[in-house]
Amino acid sequence: MNPGEMIKDILAKRDSIQNVFFVACGGSLVEFYPPKYFMDAESKHCGAFLYSGKEFVCAAPASLGENSLVLLCSHSGKTPEVLEAAGLAKERGAVVITYAGVAGTPVNQAGDYHIVYGDRTEEGSHYGDSPVLLSLRLMAELLAVTEDYPYLDKVMDGISKIDTVIYNAMDQVSERAKIWGKACERENMMYILGSGPAFGNVYGFAICSMMEMQWQHAAYIHSAEYFHGPFEVTDKNTAYVVLESNGPARCMDERAIRFLKRYGAKYEVVDAKELGADIIDEKVVDYFTPLMFYKVMCVYREELAKLRNHPLSTRRYMGKVAY
Amino acid sequence: MNPGEMIKDILAKRDSIQNVFFVACGGSLVEFYPPKYFMDAESKHCGAFLYSGKEFVCAAPASLGENSLVLLCSHSGKTPEVLEAAGLAKERGAVVITYAGVAGTPVNQAGDYHIVYGDRTEEGSHYGDSPVLLSLRLMAELLAVTEDYPYLDKVMDGISKIDTVIYNAMDQVSERAKIWGKACERENMMYILGSGPAFGNVYGFAICSMMEMQWQHAAYIHSAEYFHGPFEVTDKNTAYVVLESNGPARCMDERAIRFLKRYGAKYEVVDAKELGADIIDEKVVDYFTPLMFYKVMCVYREELAKLRNHPLSTRRYMGKVAY
């Protein structure tokens, strides 16, 4: 069942979908940031909410019910918090769609619909089959039916182009990433800035790529919030990475960059506009740039890992000790 | 007009309130975290959303309209992003309530209703007149009318008790805060952990108390997300502060504390249960502990500031240079 068929099937069983909950942990939670952002920006009637798995269970939303759609994602297919969240969602009668990176896991059995991601979509896109874009398409299909969302075709067109965008962007940063890696090799602390659709990437790069994979102290800061506290730590010795969006959020990132140019010295700007995301239609491009940022930042982290001789797969606790 | 009268007045003008947007920047945004958390946990039909001022304007939500209630807060009453947000909200026909710390500011003029906070409520509570509790009361009054929320009386009772809770809690931590200050005086980096209703405090302590007021590198981490990346930086030399909630979120914080006991060494646990928040009814206490945490953490930061001879009011950029 493709995302369009899935939405039709759901709407045949429910008279309406009142709200959507995106629930996952860590890196998988990051996958859900853009579709949540899409819903906030595009949906007039369907509220969207993003929860870390255990928080969803502990602070169970009162509005979770039979007219809720719950999307759950676990790369391993075994994350206990995601399975708990599925239990709560089913108990409340919600429609549950689960994503897992592999087949035959408990998460695959935990919902009404399940998706194993990582293959190739009907549109021939490899990255179109990532949780972030599968979810974006699901949401666009939903709103196309329920609210006459007019740009589903542009979303589909974006999916057909995303591989090209990503490969070009990754190529473009390969030299800069090496320079950045050398400059940051011995940094003790790194601030990651961004806003709008890219804020999920900001979070993900800090907590997964830096803290988890490099044991690197890091903080994620929203570009607009930067001016309401965090900018006071800025000086010529503090390292920043700014993900500069190319849609309406860009002005927030530009403001932070202007400040860093004046009062900082060690900052790397990763600019969506420069990286060529704009071959995707401007009405929807904002929802695609996060995946481009993710893959581009994978090039950056790889360079740092090589220089430090600290492979990205190195762990001391995750999956190694009890917790 | 008190919050109850305000809600009655609003509901006389609008047939329903479909959603609530809490919009502010930095420290004022933190004030809105608990009422947003309250709405998520208690409201069946009214979606609640939290936005940094400029993000609200750039990523204007499609669901913002005549049946929206927008709460805006600016301590100075002059924050440009909040004024812009008020403009957007009015343009869309939403009901706008503004909060400012002083009278006669542009923010006081920007909405349909305005509140100058910092006095003493009818219940005789000083802290009951803070934006966080005024907003909590507004939301409880709203849901009491629209969804038969049964615990408005317990919220009012909590407001009458919050001063006692706060003063007792502040007294209790005064010695521990001194010890913590000494231990952390030379820390380069500090991780702040917490979850549930306290996550706003986690954010605020990191970006305002530490980064802004102490030029201290810091990161805010959700206790549940800690295990999906951030815990890999944990070692005996890395400093943590954990805000331990006393409601359903507590299990997430406890798990992080168990891990820190084993693999960390420098961590401070600030426990809501130990601090005596439980004189407030358990059905609503979760919505009051954030303000207690805030005031308790003010004691902590004050000790650090004294030892470092870096007054909390010291700024190098905020209000001093153009940005």
Side-chain angles (χ1 to χ4, degrees):
Chain A
M1 217 182 275
N2 72 31
E5 291 159 353
M6 212 175 268
I7 289 298
K8 278 194 190 74
D9 199 63
I10 291 166
L11 291 172
K13 291 174 188 161
R14 294 290 192 282
D15 51 350
S16 74
I17 293 297
Q18 267 180 17
N19 48 27
V20 179
F21 294 91
F22 298 97
V23 184
C25 304
S28 293
L29 188 60
V30 172
E31 299 271 346
F32 281 151
Y33 194 90
K36 142 82 170 148
Y37 185 85
F38 168 85
M39 290 299 280
D40 287 344
E42 305 288 358
S43 174
K44 287 189 180 67
H45 306 295
C46 183
F49 304 91
L50 190 71
Y51 277 88
S52 183
K54 191 72 181 181
E55 175 93 13
F56 182 71
V57 174
C58 294
S63 64
L64 173 65
E66 288 181 13
N67 293 99
S68 300
L69 175 60
V70 179
L71 272 64
L72 297 162
C73 183
S74 161
H75 190 65
S76 68
K78 296 179 204 162
T79 315
E81 297 96 316
V82 169
L83 290 166
E84 263 193 89
L88 172 69
K90 296 287 286 177
E91 195 185 297
R92 294 277 189 94
V95 179
V96 178
I97 303 176
T98 65
Y99 298 75
V102 276
T105 69
V107 165
N108 295 96
Q109 316 295 326
D112 302 296
Y113 303 87
H114 69 272
I115 294 171
V116 177
Y117 58 83
D119 288 336
R120 196 168 273 275
T121 64
E122 292 160 24
E123 293 72 38
S125 163
H126 172 62
Y127 289 111
D129 190 48
S130 56
V132 54
L133 292 191
L134 286 168
S135 308
L136 173 65
R137 185 174 162 194
L138 263 172
M139 294 301 103
E141 298 269 9
L142 174 66
L143 294 193
V145 178
T146 59
E147 302 188 18
D148 289 322
Y149 172 66
Y151 303 125
L152 176 59
D153 59 333
K154 295 187 195 298
V155 168
M156 298 307 290
D157 185 60
I159 289 173
S160 75
K161 288 174 177 162
I162 188 67
D163 288 10
T164 306
V165 168
I166 285 173
Y167 294 131
N168 284 347
M170 288 174 80
D171 268 358
Q172 262 194 73
V173 299
S174 61
E175 284 311 308
R176 280 167 48 191
K178 282 192 179 73
I179 297 167
W180 176 80
K182 266 180 206 135
C184 292
E185 197 183 341
R186 289 185 180 76
E187 282 305 333
N188 187 54
M189 172 67 190
M190 220 170 274
Y191 285 98
I192 320 301
L193 263 68
S195 66
F199 193 65
N201 298 92
V202 169
Y203 178 65
F205 192 70
I207 72 149
C208 296
S209 303
M210 294 295 101
M211 294 186 207
E212 177 181 336
M213 299 179 180
Q214 288 295 294
W215 306 353
Q216 163 75 56
H217 294 312
Y220 51 101
I221 304 289
H222 189 285
S223 298
E225 287 285 286
Y226 175 62
F227 295 97
H228 295 275
F231 74 155
E232 281 287 333
V233 299
T234 301
D235 59 28
K236 305 281 183 193
N237 293 314
T238 304
Y240 289 85
V241 174
V242 188
L243 304 185
E244 190 177 10
S245 286
N246 57 344
R250 188 175 179 85
C251 62
M252 295 185 273
D253 308 321
E254 280 175 339
R255 188 181 177 208
I257 294 163
R258 274 199 305 277
F259 190 86
L260 286 169
K261 276 186 180 157
R262 180 134 192 202
Y263 299 102
K266 300 199 258 183
Y267 57 91
E268 175 76 6
V269 176
V270 183
D271 182 352
K273 198 171 258 178
E274 211 174 83
L275 293 175
D278 52 5
I279 65 165
I280 294 174
D281 192 281
E282 60 169 6
K283 297 286 186 201
V284 300
V285 64
D286 254 13
Y287 313 125
F288 287 89
T289 46
L291 186 55
M292 182 193 72
F293 274 132
Y294 170 67
K295 293 305 295 180
V296 157
M297 295 316 291
C298 286
V299 179
Y300 275 84
R301 75 186 186 191
E302 187 63 48
E303 291 302 330
L304 201 59
K306 271 192 262 174
L307 281 163
R308 287 175 170 180
N309 200 19
H310 182 120
L312 295 167
S313 57
T314 315
R315 300 289 181 280
R316 48 183 155 182
Y317 308 122
M318 192 179 274
K320 293 201 158 179
V321 303
Y323 48 88
Chain B
M1 216 183 276
N2 73 30
E5 292 159 353
M6 212 174 269
I7 289 297
K8 278 194 189 74
D9 199 63
I10 291 166
L11 291 173
K13 291 173 188 161
R14 294 289 192 282
D15 52 351
S16 74
I17 293 297
Q18 266 179 18
N19 49 27
V20 179
F21 294 92
F22 298 97
V23 184
C25 304
S28 294
L29 188 59
V30 172
E31 299 270 346
F32 281 151
Y33 194 90
K36 142 80 170 149
Y37 184 86
F38 168 85
M39 289 299 280
D40 287 344
E42 304 287 359
S43 174
K44 286 189 181 66
H45 306 294
C46 184
F49 304 91
L50 190 71
Y51 277 89
S52 183
K54 191 72 180 180
E55 176 93 13
F56 182 71
V57 174
C58 294
S63 63
L64 173 65
E66 288 182 13
N67 293 98
S68 300
L69 175 60
V70 179
L71 273 64
L72 297 162
C73 183
S74 160
H75 190 65
S76 68
K78 295 179 204 163
T79 315
E81 296 96 316
V82 170
L83 290 166
E84 263 192 89
L88 172 69
K90 296 287 286 177
E91 196 185 298
R92 294 277 188 94
V95 179
V96 178
I97 304 176
T98 66
Y99 298 77
V102 276
T105 68
V107 165
N108 295 97
Q109 316 295 324
D112 302 297
Y113 303 87
H114 70 271
I115 294 171
V116 177
Y117 58 82
D119 289 336
R120 197 168 272 275
T121 64
E122 292 160 23
E123 293 72 38
S125 162
H126 172 62
Y127 288 110
D129 190 48
S130 56
V132 55
L133 291 191
L134 286 168
S135 308
L136 173 65
R137 185 174 163 194
L138 263 172
M139 294 301 102
E141 298 270 8
L142 174 66
L143 294 193
V145 178
T146 58
E147 302 188 17
D148 289 322
Y149 172 65
Y151 303 125
L152 176 58
D153 59 333
K154 295 187 194 297
V155 168
M156 299 307 289
D157 185 60
I159 290 173
S160 76
K161 288 173 178 164
I162 188 67
D163 288 10
T164 306
V165 168
I166 285 173
Y167 294 131
N168 284 347
M170 288 173 80
D171 269 358
Q172 262 194 73
V173 298
S174 61
E175 284 311 307
R176 280 167 48 191
K178 282 191 180 72
I179 297 167
W180 176 81
K182 267 180 204 133
C184 293
E185 197 182 342
R186 288 184 181 78
E187 282 305 332
N188 186 54
M189 173 66 190
M190 219 170 274
Y191 285 98
I192 320 301
L193 264 68
S195 67
F199 192 66
N201 298 92
V202 169
Y203 178 66
F205 192 70
I207 73 149
C208 296
S209 303
M210 294 295 100
M211 295 186 206
E212 177 181 336
M213 299 179 180
Q214 288 295 294
W215 306 353
Q216 163 75 56
H217 294 312
Y220 51 101
I221 304 289
H222 190 284
S223 298
E225 287 284 286
Y226 175 62
F227 294 97
H228 295 275
F231 74 155
E232 281 286 333
V233 299
T234 301
D235 58 28
K236 305 280 184 195
N237 293 314
T238 304
Y240 289 85
V241 174
V242 188
L243 304 185
E244 191 178 10
S245 286
N246 57 345
R250 188 174 179 87
C251 62
M252 295 185 273
D253 308 322
E254 280 175 338
R255 188 181 177 208
I257 293 163
R258 274 198 306 276
F259 190 86
L260 286 169
K261 275 186 181 158
R262 179 133 193 203
Y263 299 102
K266 300 199 257 182
Y267 57 90
E268 175 76 7
V269 176
V270 184
D271 181 352
K273 198 171 259 179
E274 211 174 83
L275 293 175
D278 53 5
I279 65 166
I280 294 175
D281 192 281
E282 60 169 5
K283 297 287 187 200
V284 299
V285 64
D286 253 13
Y287 313 125
F288 287 89
T289 46
L291 186 54
M292 182 193 72
F293 274 132
Y294 170 67
K295 293 305 296 180
V296 157
M297 296 316 291
C298 286
V299 179
Y300 275 83
R301 75 186 186 191
E302 187 64 48
E303 290 303 330
L304 200 59
K306 271 193 262 175
L307 281 164
R308 287 175 171 181
N309 200 18
H310 181 120
L312 295 167
S313 58
T314 314
R315 300 289 181 280
R316 47 183 156 182
Y317 308 122
M318 192 179 275
K320 293 202 158 177
V321 303
Y323 49 88

